[in-house]
Amino acid sequence: AGERDVVVVMEGVSMYLHPAQWQQTAQALRQCLPGHLLLCDLLDATFSRRYSRRLRKAIREIGGAFAPALDDPAAMVTGLGYRQRTATSIVGSAVDAGALRIPRWLLNSLLRSLRDGYRVCTFDALP
């Protein structure tokens, strides 16, 4: 605790946390690990509504409970005392790796909500 150069990875967690839970988590992390780097995947409301409806329904059917999706989840994290360092599109990375076949021009124009709605973001904890 208290060491610099600590990386906290929250993968597959953000969509389940309500704002109050995010606040408690951020407070605990910043208290125990000041100066940490936070990596998390963030899903916005548009992506959730347009592209993950069936998956969310299936998870609810087995008892999973999602928090309400936010229009700008990265802004919520920065509001908790973080500075955003990077944002990397998960779908864009899949296209670049050849794992998903969508023309880049289409992803960068008509499908921007698909490209930008699900990202891995890094944040620096502010002092």
Side-chain angles (χ1 to χ4, degrees):
E3 295 293 323
R4 298 201 55 83
D5 300 327
V6 173
V7 176
V8 176
V9 178
M10 291 177 54
E11 182 181 2
V13 175
S14 67
M15 62 278 304
Y16 299 101
L17 298 180
H18 290 265
Q21 294 167 313
W22 261 107
Q23 187 173 20
Q24 292 169 342
T25 301
Q27 184 178 17
L29 288 172
R30 293 180 63 222
Q31 181 179 353
C32 295
L33 304 167
H36 67 277
L37 177 70
L38 175 65
L39 280 80
C40 53
D41 56 338
L42 299 175
L43 183 83
D44 71 23
T46 300
F47 187 96
S48 177
R49 186 177 60 254
R50 289 184 183 169
Y51 307 109
S52 68
R53 188 180 323 208
R54 286 191 302 170
L55 175 62
R56 292 171 74 85
K57 182 178 183 256
I59 290 174
R60 276 194 303 273
E61 288 174 355
I62 61 171
F66 290 97
L70 303 173
D71 290 330
D72 189 352
M76 185 269 310
V77 176
T78 59
L80 296 173
Y82 289 89
R83 179 180 57 242
Q84 186 172 345
R85 185 188 286 188
T86 67
T88 304
S89 169
I90 293 173
V91 174
S93 295
V95 169
D96 291 344
L100 186 59
R101 294 181 184 263
I102 298 174
R104 195 42 121 146
W105 69 266
L106 187 59
L107 195 62
N108 291 336
S109 58
L110 298 175
L111 295 177
R112 281 189 305 251
S113 62
L114 178 64
R115 181 195 68 193
D116 298 340
Y118 191 28
R119 295 178 168 202
V120 172
C121 297
T122 60
F123 298 90
D124 292 310
L126 298 174

